[in-house]
Amino acid sequence: MEVPNHCAPLAERVEQLLATEGPLPIVAAGDPVLRRGTEPYDGQLRPALLARFVEALRVTMRAAPGVGLAAPQVGVELRIAVIEDPAPVPEEVRLARGRVPQPFRVLVNPVYEPVGTGHVAFFEGCLSVPGYQAVVARPAEVRLTGQDEHGRALDEVFTGWPARIVQHETDHLDGTLYLDRAEPRSLSTHQAVAERWSQPTPGHAARVLGFDLP
């Protein structure tokens, strides 16, 4: 696949990116595109191209697999992200983390703000930081505003794991990675998390690795 020319107009770059069918390459931490932030979407892509781009994000997210993907993670500096979580988890995990299924959603120009003062901490990973997870304390409940891909207004309160997903993806659009908010002492490989810290909550990891929880 031809590498998009980052000096070209954004729509042209997206066309180049979509020239090959299938999942898009996911940008890894260290690439400046993940740190520059994004420009608000205001019609830079014509409707047909936007629909193709959204579908490519969906295909890429599912193939990874992940529960969310932001445009900068495929090298596009637009304030667009997608989320979807079938939540195939045990009942004890569902109850501890508030993880419930989320249908496929497109978030355009999303912004979130905390609702209340409660925070919860769990291990979190990222498709742009492959192989690792770390504990991140985040607001337990947030209000998300923005639009969907059709321009319809979005104003919704998210709680539990869905709140974590929308915060993670919206942070990407501001040039923030989950590692910026993580407890450094909790950083673990996927294998270590699976073998040692797979409990529904990170309480045991906090005691053994020596970090505080909210």
Side-chain angles (χ1 to χ4, degrees):
M1 180 179 68
E2 181 182 356
V3 177
N5 177 2
H6 291 282
C7 295
L10 193 144
E12 181 180 327
R13 287 165 45 202
V14 173
E15 287 277 15
Q16 293 175 349
L17 190 65
L18 301 180
T20 302
E21 293 185 5
L24 304 175
I26 294 178
V27 174
D31 191 310
V33 72
L34 294 174
R35 294 306 197 173
R36 283 196 289 260
T38 53
E39 60 181 83
Y41 178 75
D42 62 1
Q44 294 94 328
L45 309 181
R46 64 186 186 278
L49 182 56
L50 175 62
R52 289 173 55 209
F53 181 57
V54 165
E55 179 58 21
L57 290 176
R58 187 209 303 246
V59 168
T60 305
M61 173 182 65
R62 289 178 173 176
V67 296
L69 188 68
Q73 292 182 275
V74 296
V76 177
E77 296 139 299
L78 272 180
R79 201 167 184 83
I80 297 174
V82 297
I83 65 171
E84 182 181 47
D85 185 12
V89 296
E91 181 70 4
E92 63 174 345
V93 173
R94 182 187 70 81
L95 292 174
R97 302 178 186 178
R99 188 170 177 182
V100 294
Q102 288 295 296
F104 179 76
R105 305 275 297 271
V106 182
L107 311 178
V108 177
N109 299 330
V111 176
Y112 70 82
E113 59 183 20
V115 175
T117 59
H119 282 68
V120 289
F122 290 104
F123 274 99
E124 192 170 315
C126 179
L127 298 178
S128 290
V129 188
Y132 290 89
Q133 298 181 43
V135 173
V136 183
R138 291 188 181 273
E141 188 172 15
V142 296
R143 178 186 180 192
L144 188 79
T145 55
Q147 301 87 41
D148 67 10
E149 70 272 36
H150 304 295
R152 295 178 295 222
L154 169 66
D155 188 341
E156 188 172 338
V157 173
F158 289 81
T159 61
W161 206 257
R164 182 168 296 268
I165 294 172
V166 298
Q167 289 175 76
H168 181 114
E169 300 309 327
T170 303
D171 280 355
H172 270 303
L173 305 178
D174 294 325
T176 299
L177 296 179
Y178 86 96
L179 291 174
D180 301 331
R181 304 187 185 281
E183 168 52 59
R185 294 181 70 95
S186 71
L187 185 65
S188 305
T189 65
H190 285 332
Q191 181 177 350
V193 172
E195 293 177 352
R196 298 174 179 272
W197 318 127
S198 60
Q199 296 83 7
T201 73
H204 180 56
R207 290 189 296 272
V208 175
L209 297 178
F211 60 89
D212 295 325
L213 296 173

